Amino acid sequence: MAKKYVYLFKEGNANMRELLGGKGANLAEMTNLGMPVPQGFTVTTEACTQYYNDGKTINDEIVKQIYDALAITEEVAGKKFGDDENPFLVSVRSGARASMPGMMDTILNLGLTDKSVKGLAKKTNNEKFAYDAYRRFIAMFSDVVMEIPKSEFEAVLDEFKEKKGVKFDRDLDAEDLKGVVERFKAIYKAHKNVEFPQDPREQLMEAVKAVFRSWDNPRAIYYRRMNDIPGDWGTAVNVQSMVFGNMGETSGTGVAFTRNPSTGEKKLYGEYLLNAQGEDVVAGIRTPQPIATLQEAMPSVYQQFVDIATKLEAHYRDMQDMEYTIEEGKLYMLQTRNGKRTAAAALKIAVDLVDEGVLSEEEAVLKVEPKQLDSLLHPNFDADALKKAPVIAKGLPASPGAGAGAIYFTAEAAAEHGKNKEKVILVRKETTPEDIEGMDFSQAILTAFGGMTSHAAVVARGMGRAAVVGCGDLKFDEAANTVTIAGEVYHEGDMISVDGSTGNVYKGLVKTVDASISGDFARLMGWADAARRLRVRTNADTPRDAKKAVEFGAEGIGLCRTEHMFFEASRIAAVREMILADTKEQREKALAKILPMQQGDFEAMYKVLEGRPMTVRYLDPPLHEFVPHLDMTEEIEELAKNLGYTVEEVKQKINALHEANPMMGHRGCRLAVTYPEIAEMQTRAVLQAAINVKKECGYDIVPEIMIPLVGSKKELDFVKNTVDETAKKVFAEQGMTLNYHVGTMIEIPRAAVTADEIAQSAEFFSFGTNDLTQMTFGFSRDDAAKFLGSYYDNKIFESDPFARLDQDGVGKLVQMAAEKGRSTRPDIKLGICGEHGGDPSSIAFCHKVGLNYVSCSPFRVPIARLAAAWAAIEEKKAK
Amino acid sequence: MAKKYVYLFKEGNANMRELLGGKGANLAEMTNLGMPVPQGFTVTTEACTQYYNDGKTINDEIVKQIYDALAITEEVAGKKFGDDENPFLVSVRSGARASMPGMMDTILNLGLTDKSVKGLAKKTNNEKFAYDAYRRFIAMFSDVVMEIPKSEFEAVLDEFKEKKGVKFDRDLDAEDLKGVVERFKAIYKAHKNVEFPQDPREQLMEAVKAVFRSWDNPRAIYYRRMNDIPGDWGTAVNVQSMVFGNMGETSGTGVAFTRNPSTGEKKLYGEYLLNAQGEDVVAGIRTPQPIATLQEAMPSVYQQFVDIATKLEAHYRDMQDMEYTIEEGKLYMLQTRNGKRTAAAALKIAVDLVDEGVLSEEEAVLKVEPKQLDSLLHPNFDADALKKAPVIAKGLPASPGAGAGAIYFTAEAAAEHGKNKEKVILVRKETTPEDIEGMDFSQAILTAFGGMTSHAAVVARGMGRAAVVGCGDLKFDEAANTVTIAGEVYHEGDMISVDGSTGNVYKGLVKTVDASISGDFARLMGWADAARRLRVRTNADTPRDAKKAVEFGAEGIGLCRTEHMFFEASRIAAVREMILADTKEQREKALAKILPMQQGDFEAMYKVLEGRPMTVRYLDPPLHEFVPHLDMTEEIEELAKNLGYTVEEVKQKINALHEANPMMGHRGCRLAVTYPEIAEMQTRAVLQAAINVKKECGYDIVPEIMIPLVGSKKELDFVKNTVDETAKKVFAEQGMTLNYHVGTMIEIPRAAVTADEIAQSAEFFSFGTNDLTQMTFGFSRDDAAKFLGSYYDNKIFESDPFARLDQDGVGKLVQMAAEKGRSTRPDIKLGICGEHGGDPSSIAFCHKVGLNYVSCSPFRVPIARLAAAWAAIEEKKAK
């Protein structure tokens, strides 16, 4: 038997979402609940996939099934397609598994032809209505199905109105509209070289194909990429008998939510327009009425709607978003779905539904999407203000939140003005570790280069500052100290607004709304914590970040990057002295200066953590990052003076640090292999700090020492030996012993492949998925922007592998390493500390492969807690 | 029962090499063959490993077994350690599985003490002999076991000789030697603060430990790294009763080979010294006699030796290298082993042994080491001349062979002087594609930077030119146009000699010997070809290289790097025009200029190949490699003029090509994704060339198109689609169709991990192990030199992973990809085209994982053929 590609509404149900799409499944469910739904049928998502497989044609079997379903629907309606007495008309709508705004618009009134329009006029006894419907249909079909510019139709309409001296479409009479229809058909013919199709079945097939095609239009592709929707899902098509909300004052159409989607308040919320079709509501010419007023206008219809809404919410156990039409006093339901809502509303509804006894706590957790929390934790733009604000550029949404203020092009200027309570935006080509103070004083950071794991992105997320990076629309003119955006020149002090959640940059100051967290948040997060198995740590390098993260629920630090402590002005001199040393003795002398500073940092961290664990990563970046660029003459001269070298010598030393591919150069544990004294100093700093804080505060501290960039067991053994030997000395000196663990990052493909060997020496693994992604794909995060655009355009990649873990490639290495690691050390502790540790889909993957914890920037900790809970609950559900 | 750590000679045999070491196993074998071997015992390699596991101590069990064996040996000899009547004396020698010259020297006369020396004097009735033996022993023990400088002992000896007014050691009498002994013991005490050990058993234990220690001395480690000997093998220790060749004119000692080790001639070859111990032969004070003269001096001993030699060669079925001592007319065999030989000798001996019916053809193949062939294919330095030449620097032996000539610092100068028949050496910091002509006119290339896969290394190997790279001893002074080597300033025109097989650089002109290939070579290679399963292709980009490779037996081209064709002066203009184009149209215009040139190249290649297959790799390197550096003002001005840009525009465009990590940047198939028109042009060039040559010459050409740097199936599909669409057009235009294959490099870890998916689209895989090694280790071949030194010193790496495939890491990915590839495409063709394709141990790995072919530079083709045969034959043997 042939596969079933078409389902009548009464043949489906809400569980058939994958096959029928969300809209189709819910229309079927409402039908089966006995609700008043205009009948029709759904062409399945599998038909869409088949359409693409067949080279964008609809095969005979599918055509046959559509016509069969059409015949039954006609019979139920008691009408005929193209009939000149009582013509059957349908709407055609797309409906994917997940709601997808990027896709095809609705087509209404399909089935109207020169012949059937007369039937409609006769049947409704309303010629104006019939020709109005016909002209709307021709324009909609031409635009949506045939891609003829809408403006040409609008121009004709304007011409008729002008000629008649009226303002609104509705002021045109039947004769006018007949004239409009003729002109519209002429436009169609001029573009397509054939007459406007007069066979409703041909109209229907073209419309179905247009829906299928719209699955692959650029907006849909972009939306899918942003929302992690696979490209091979396809869309369903819903064909439904038309009902008319524009048949007079006892007709109307509207939308409603069972609860307020902005606040979550439990109160029917929505609006309607009398004597209107859906597009009139959207057009915004007339102002819709609040739904409460329907109670007066049509009390019985209102009561029927309230009953249906209540029943639907109870049935779906969630807030519903409904569309309905009233045709001559009779209510029809056109759609229901779980309503979109703000983060605040999501929290309140979830918590209320638990209190109302509708949902279990775990079910409630699944009602709040982890990513939504961002908008609760960061300032946002006022929604109305945003609508009017002019977008002048777009970049990567690197760190969520909103920032508005005066732009400055150097971190120094940003810091200076920020200190004076001015709201500032730091705008740079890219940021470097030296810019940290300026970033901290900024409302937002905007850069021309870099990706989702660039310095600006990582640091901004850590600070909770909004950031848009890789914004290629910025053109810097260094001589003039200006930046040109969208053709306009901006000077320091000019105002812009930056939306780190969308990547948009706006001209001028857009009003912002502060972050706010309600009591519902704490309750829901409590339920999430009870449900999750993954622990959540944070990536933090300063006591302030650590404190913030602990407030957000972090259970420890998964990544403390020791080098970030090296950049402070007071320390960089000693760090540079170490780097430029000629001998081990000189290096040790410089390290001796750094030791007390680093030890002090660790002491402060351990105090903030109050006994929570901290993984300290040893020095990782290539050393050239710490020295001035060759063109920074002043700094070099000072350096030479301080260190007793000639300027030429300093330049030569800096030159010698140059690498062809620094990302794959002398960094990570390679530094500890060539200069074991650095690892010695860092071991002293960690252990002495732990001992001091233990003595002072009594916390039971078990230092976790993490060796970065390990590629082989012997390499780890070498550094571990330095750590162990130093520890022995420290313990002897201090007359006190501590437990400590030595583990490694897994961030080099070879480490993943040989993880069974490495685990013999490593007490824990932390997956450094930023570097692992770079090495596994063989592309550098700093350079990939040049070609990733083409990869998205050509559908080679659907998401940014630096933001969302590539489970098919990088993920396989993670899984392999986890399995191999456990094969030789069954109790090995496994975590992730790459940027993916804060990404919900990546966290679900970490749960699946059995990691012990994820570690992410402080402001992502709540998201990670919630995502971890989702993963655990969904796993339970799947069992 | 305790493990057996000590074997008497009569308990072992030749097959116990792993346990007893080569020397010990052969002493045992000779003992069992009934040959006159001074008896003794072997402490096993496992005892050595145990010594290291026990923290460098010899445990009680091993000590006990040594003393037990000692007791038996004493009994057999009828002598006692330390006896003052008839003292037992032994030699102690190291003996690893493989011969290792870096290890400990022999200790003779162990067992002599103040007491037993008197016994020896009494027993031999020769006091001078006894004290001479004692003083030799003290010096040897102090030097070799206790690391007391030898020079102090030599000074004392000189002092005695001077005082007495004599020239030779042998002119000192017994009384003198007693005085020498006292002085030697005083030196010992001054250094060690204890008396020279008077207990022979203590002497023995110290000597055994010294042998074990010597396994890990820097020379031994270096030798192992050079020769791929694992560090965990350990060495055995042989303790053997002393016999004395210095007991008068009926005593003597010597070495001999059963055939000539230089030429392979079948004739006993060797020499001896009467009245001498081994060290006298080495010292070179007296000139040894040819062994033939022994026939006159001691006819029966000579005949006995000839019989033994003949028996040993027949027994071992290979040319033997033997040591022997004659003690008062009685012959003792001290060692036999398969003799080292030159490549020419190896060939002749192998072929002769087949002709003599001793070896099968496959056994003969295993008698010639693949790496040895290098010295047959390249010029070499005259061995005698080399001994006297002063080494002034050392770098990486990047391309074998010898070159001597005048140095020049630019490719232009080298080419200019080379064209005038001057022998020149190109000396540069590093080479670039523009230097190719100059390299071609040079005898050898010497660079300061770069590793085994740097441009200079790869290109030199391809050309068969000698090259030493990464020679850090070179200090360039660009202003003076000189280079300083070992403190001496060299100008252009000064003479040096470069040995690409060892990495040594010599001052002045060292005499070279041309490459020569005998008929034996062809016979042996024929046997190798019959035995091997792996096919051997070559990496070649020019008809000349391809022709050379075919002469060397290449069965096709495994890697034709199309970009190498882009650098010629006549083409680079069009290439630059393409790269700097702003629009697709401009780019296509430039590509149209390149197309006929590239097509012409392919036509020439196909003609040379006469129907053999050729894999063409599409454009791979980052585009910035093709444009001038920013400081090359003249070239930029010319470029601007030619292309109608301003100089500033050209500089901006060049700047825009800059990448932070070009190795992981916009290159490989990423170029074909962003600029599909490049792949279109290359497809046209390949297919049109194939069609033209097929028409002209009738060869059945099936083009193989290889897409580089693929990381995912979709990426390959995208480029493959461009190829297929272009092919359709070309076939339509030409009215002719060709079969062609599209495959991919596997050189990105992600490609290996997802090889099952990629193989659905790829008809072949070629493992690009250079890049795969870079990405898998996460280090760049251009930067790794900075830290690899420390990795060798600390025994983290034992060999250069760019020269020898890292089987534990990179190899696992290769194996995984091979298995995954075959899982979805069982008949997929698998090859390797990285530099490892010419490395014997890597070739063995390729055989093991079932690749179809290896591809290597032309001069490595014979090596690869032989290595492939070795792998096949050894696999058969293991079954």
Side-chain angles (χ1 to χ4, degrees), chain A residues 639-660:
Chain A
L639 201 51
K641 206 176 65 187
N642 289 344
L643 301 183
Y645 294 120
T646 67
V647 166
E648 203 41 50
E649 279 170 344
V650 171
K651 282 190 177 173
Q652 270 182 14
K653 283 164 182 288
I654 291 175
N655 229 348
L657 292 173
H658 171 79
E659 294 184 301

Side-chain angles (χ1 to χ4, degrees), chain A residues 656 658-664 670 674 715 718 748 750 776-780 783 786 790-791 794 806 816, chain B residues 656 658 660-664 670 674 715 718 748 750 776-780 783 786 790-791 794 806 816:
Chain A
H658 171 79
E659 294 184 301
N661 297 281
M663 199 61 84
M664 301 198 289
R670 297 160 197 171
T674 47
E715 197 178 23
F718 180 84
I748 294 284
R750 196 178 187 283
T776 304
F777 276 94
F779 52 60
S780 137
D783 303 310
K786 277 192 188 171
S790 292
Y791 276 65
N794 293 309
D806 158 48
M816 182 191 305
Chain B
H658 171 79
N661 297 282
M663 198 61 84
M664 301 197 290
R670 297 160 197 170
T674 47
E715 197 178 23
F718 181 85
I748 295 283
R750 197 179 186 283
T776 304
F777 276 94
F779 51 60
S780 137
D783 303 310
K786 277 191 191 174
S790 290
Y791 276 65
N794 293 308
D806 158 48
M816 183 190 305

Side-chain angles (χ1 to χ4, degrees), chain A residues 430-436 439 445 447 449-463 467 469 564 567 625 781-782:
Chain A
E430 63 201 336
T431 64
T432 66
E434 292 169 348
D435 296 335
I436 287 187
M439 295 172 76
I445 293 105
T447 71
F449 300 117
M452 296 296 282
T453 56
S454 62
H455 178 267
V458 172
V459 173
R461 280 197 293 271
M463 292 176 166
V469 302
H564 284 193
F567 286 103
E625 287 194 7
R781 65 191 188 197
D782 297 319

